[in-house]
Amino acid sequence: MTWEEILQCTEVIARYLIPTLKIFGFTLLFSIPLGMVVALLKMCKFKPVSWLINVYILIMRGTPLMLQIITIYYAIPMMKVSDSAFLQNLFAGVDIKSESYQFNALIVAFALNYAAYFAEIFRGGIESIPKGQYEAAAALGMTKGQTFFRVVLPQVIKRIVPASSNEVITLVKDTSLASVIAYAEIFRKAKEQMVSYSNLTPLFIAGIFYFIMNAILTTVFAAVEKKLDYYK
Amino acid sequence: MAILEVRNLSKSFDKLEVLKDISFDVEKGEVVAIIGPSGSGKSTLLRCINQLEKASGGSVKVCGLDMIEGYKNGKPVYSPADVLREIRLKIGLVFQNFNLFPHMSVLKNITEAPMCVLKKSKQEAEETAKVLLEKMGLASKAGSYPCELSGGQQQRVSIARALALNPEVLFFDEPTSALDPELTGEILKVIKELAKEKMTMVIVTHEMAFARDVADHVIFMDGGVIVEEGTPEQVFGDTKNERTKQFLQRYNNDFKD
Ligand SMILES: Nc1ncnc2c1ncn2[C@@H]1O[C@H](COP(=O)(O)OP(=O)(O)OP(=O)(O)O)[C@@H](O)[C@H]1O
Ligand SMILES: [Mg+2]
């Protein structure tokens, strides 16, 4: 490829940075709170609930994200052509031809998958806080809410930063899986260019984009860890 | 009026009976020491009174407030939440392993509860905290974090934290057991100071000489029951009870080793 072609190619790929970042951002936006809820439900004393959550986490972590994306993306269209009237009408309001359907299906798949991983991180963090912290707060007359938000949560956050940063960095790379349902983002565009130029350079360019995003995230997380390092 | 009235208190963990029929009073300004072998139920007793464990039977009255309202099917029914909260605030608890909040500065550890539980202003809470830190000899450590302090200093912070809520009675559960021997002295000194100021205290301790020195009343527990109680002279001086004798003897021997 000539330098001019490389530059052109970079420009095309860079334009699809936004869709990639959209998957990244929306996935975090939904999976972190959802992960928190899942973690709390998993610690629920009522056995059927924690059992159900266990099954969910097992499936999400035990099967490929790519499989989950495809399943969720095609589930509704398949239902619409099934024999059962009930299934046909279940998602009557969902327009599978619309542009947003593809993106929404992606975010549902990514958020459900990442919530399972975050939930396990959060649960580990919450369970690692010594019982004595809860007892000290209780003995001081603090309510359950005050204890969680003022005593437990700040300590949990410090403990989960390293594991969470791993997930976030993996997510940057996993956004490329969106290409499997033909969602136009960096990876898909790079692959298209690769085919049309019969040259691997476009993939290399995409790689540099992912690398830079993760270099930035790594720096940010290192700074956060350092900031939280004021106590042991 | 007694600060604390415990009557026929019992506690079981499943089938294991840990406290049986415990009754005692603590008067205002009194220092009560609770001694006894490991596993005799001393911590469980403090924890039941402090609502960290649920009692199985009996009654507890703190400054005239009933912790247990009544009984239903042989199970205690606890008083309404606001009463329990009021009771809790009348009792300060100092733990064996301090349980300071590691993410808060020393000052914040002490002001946290006054501010978010008693709704005191930041300024008022900090003023009180500084007076308490001064008293604990830690005025210069206000901005430090617990991990930067020695065990003895941490325990003094936790005493200040408990005192900041201005409790009627202070409970100590083996306040020196997690400390190096050379650091126990500073804690015992602080407790003696508090005793001089007529702070009402209940102290679970394995420091026999200290218990004898500081307590007005000594309770010896074994196997979940109060085996003997009386003045330090009665219990340590010339106990008639065989179990007390044995326990104290073992202690004296341990110290000679
Ligand atoms: N949460 C619990 N569940 C079951 N058993 C318990 C629990 N807490 C305490 N016990 C049991 O209750 C008994 C009394 O324990 P406790 O901690 O009150 O003794 P202690 O007198 O404070 O002993 P030590 O001097 O070692 O601190 C022990 O047999 C202990 O195993
Ligand atoms: Mg104990």
Side-chain angles (χ1 to χ4, degrees):
Chain A
M1 280 171 84
T2 64
W3 279 110
E4 202 164 323
E5 283 171 336
I6 289 176
L7 207 69
Q8 213 174 9
C9 193
T10 308
E11 226 175 299
V12 172
I13 294 174
R15 241 179 283 140
Y16 288 87
L17 199 61
I18 300 290
T20 292
L21 289 175
K22 255 171 74 187
I23 302 174
F24 176 77
F26 278 97
T27 300
L28 288 184
L29 186 70
F30 291 113
S31 63
I32 289 175
L34 183 62
M36 195 59 138
V37 173
V38 172
L40 294 175
L41 287 178
K42 178 159 177 178
M43 290 183 289
C44 171
K45 297 231 163 54
F46 185 58
K47 281 283 167 277
V49 171
S50 65
W51 190 85
L52 225 81
I53 292 294
N54 269 332
V55 172
Y56 157 73
I57 291 176
L58 263 174
I59 293 173
M60 286 298 150
R61 302 209 307 176
T63 60
L65 176 54
M66 192 189 282
L67 183 152
Q68 294 163 18
I69 292 170
I70 296 174
T71 307
I72 289 172
Y73 181 59
Y74 287 110
I76 294 177
M78 300 270 183
M79 279 187 216
K80 285 191 190 283
V81 298
S82 73
D83 298 331
S84 146
F86 171 75
L87 285 180
Q88 281 173 25
N89 295 325
L90 192 59
F91 291 99
V94 180
D95 177 9
I96 54 172
K97 299 240 162 50
S98 75
E99 211 169 302
S100 61
Y101 173 72
Q102 190 190 29
F103 182 71
N104 292 347
L106 271 178
I107 296 303
V108 169
F110 270 92
L112 285 178
N113 180 277
Y114 271 79
Y117 285 94
F118 279 125
E120 285 298 71
I121 293 174
F122 296 157
R123 186 185 56 90
I126 291 172
E127 285 179 349
S128 74
I129 303 300
K131 217 169 107 234
Q133 292 289 304
Y134 292 91
E135 293 185 346
L140 290 167
M142 292 168 78
T143 62
K144 283 221 166 75
Q146 287 168 336
T147 304
F148 184 74
F149 286 107
R150 308 186 68 96
V151 175
V152 177
L153 194 59
Q155 297 184 59
V156 170
I157 289 173
K158 178 184 165 90
R159 290 177 193 216
I160 63 174
V161 166
S164 306
S165 79
N166 273 336
E167 286 309 316
V168 172
I169 283 167
T170 304
L171 174 59
V172 168
K173 295 175 286 182
D174 276 357
T175 54
S176 61
L177 292 172
S179 63
V180 75
I181 56 166
Y183 183 75
E185 42 67 69
I186 289 182
F187 183 71
R188 185 165 182 90
K189 281 297 144 186
K191 227 171 104 191
E192 280 172 14
Q193 309 264 322
M194 174 192 91
V195 173
S196 65
Y197 284 104
S198 291
N199 192 308
L200 277 178
T201 312
L203 280 194
F204 186 74
I205 296 169
I208 291 176
F209 275 107
Y210 289 115
F211 185 85
I212 291 173
M213 283 188 271
N214 275 336
I216 294 170
L217 284 171
T218 306
T219 314
V220 169
F221 274 109
V224 171
E225 263 182 65
K226 189 142 187 268
K227 197 158 163 58
L228 290 172
D229 207 31
Y230 65 90
Y231 72 92
K232 275 206 281 296
Chain B
M1 185 183 68
I3 295 272
L4 183 63
E5 289 171 52
V6 178
R7 290 289 171 274
N8 314 105
L9 186 71
S10 65
K11 168 71 186 172
S12 305
F13 291 106
D14 297 319
K15 289 273 164 307
L16 181 69
E17 243 191 317
V18 175
L19 296 176
K20 298 163 208 162
D21 210 22
I22 302 276
S23 301
F24 68 98
D25 284 352
V26 178
E27 299 295 330
K28 194 166 177 59
E30 197 178 24
V31 177
V32 174
I34 302 179
I35 59 171
S38 186
S40 55
K42 307 178 298 293
S43 299
T44 307
L45 174 59
L46 292 193
R47 293 167 60 83
C48 282
I49 301 171
N50 226 307
Q51 304 170 43
L52 292 176
E53 302 284 359
K54 276 228 158 24
S56 312
S59 75
V60 174
K61 218 178 230 198
V62 181
C63 302
L65 295 168
D66 270 308
M67 189 166 94
I68 293 165
E69 229 172 25
Y71 280 83
K72 204 172 165 186
N73 306 329
K75 287 225 160 65
V77 177
Y78 275 67
S79 296
D82 55 327
V83 178
L84 293 181
R85 201 182 103 96
E86 205 176 327
I87 290 176
R88 187 155 246 172
L89 290 176
K90 292 194 184 300
I91 306 172
L93 177 59
V94 174
F95 297 85
Q96 180 175 342
N97 47 1
F98 335 131
N99 289 336
L100 290 174
F101 304 133
H103 57 302
M104 297 180 189
S105 69
V106 163
L107 190 69
K108 192 91 183 72
N109 261 282
I110 302 171
T111 59
E112 183 65 14
M115 281 170 65
C116 80
V117 177
L118 300 183
K119 308 290 175 211
K120 281 195 187 173
S121 72
K122 184 172 180 191
Q123 196 195 350
E124 194 186 353
E126 286 188 351
E127 266 165 32
T128 315
K130 280 179 182 151
V131 172
L132 286 168
L133 280 176
E134 185 81 43
K135 195 163 143 187
M136 295 292 146
L138 292 171
S140 63
K141 299 287 183 194
S144 305
Y145 283 86
C147 61
E148 299 162 348
L149 304 182
S150 73
Q153 290 170 331
Q154 289 189 49
Q155 191 58 298
R156 279 182 280 157
V157 174
S158 90
I159 295 172
R161 180 174 71 172
L163 287 172
L165 290 170
N166 207 9
E168 290 292 330
V169 52
L170 204 49
F171 286 4
F172 293 86
D173 191 358
E174 301 191 26
T176 60
S177 292
L179 300 177
D180 294 338
E182 66 267 26
L183 296 178
T184 57
E186 58 188 78
I187 299 304
L188 300 183
K189 206 174 118 221
V190 166
I191 299 175
K192 275 184 195 164
E193 286 294 319
L194 291 172
K196 243 186 248 160
E197 295 167 17
K198 288 285 158 216
M199 179 80 210
T200 315
M201 292 185 281
V202 178
I203 308 166
V204 171
T205 183
H206 286 299
E207 302 275 338
M208 294 306 147
F210 169 71
R212 183 175 193 155
D213 200 20
V214 76
D216 303 305
H217 194 82
V218 177
I219 293 175
F220 170 61
M221 279 178 70
D222 194 6
V225 296
I226 295 180
V227 174
E228 188 180 4
E229 59 179 315
T231 62
E233 291 73 30
Q234 285 167 337
V235 176
F236 291 109
D238 57 349
T239 175
K240 304 282 181 289
N241 189 298
E242 269 313 307
R243 272 155 91 186
T244 318
K245 249 185 215 165
Q246 263 179 19
F247 172 74
L248 291 174
Q249 223 157 42
R250 210 166 46 227
Y251 245 90
N252 289 335
N253 288 340
D254 281 353
F255 271 103
K256 274 178 211 138
D257 286 348

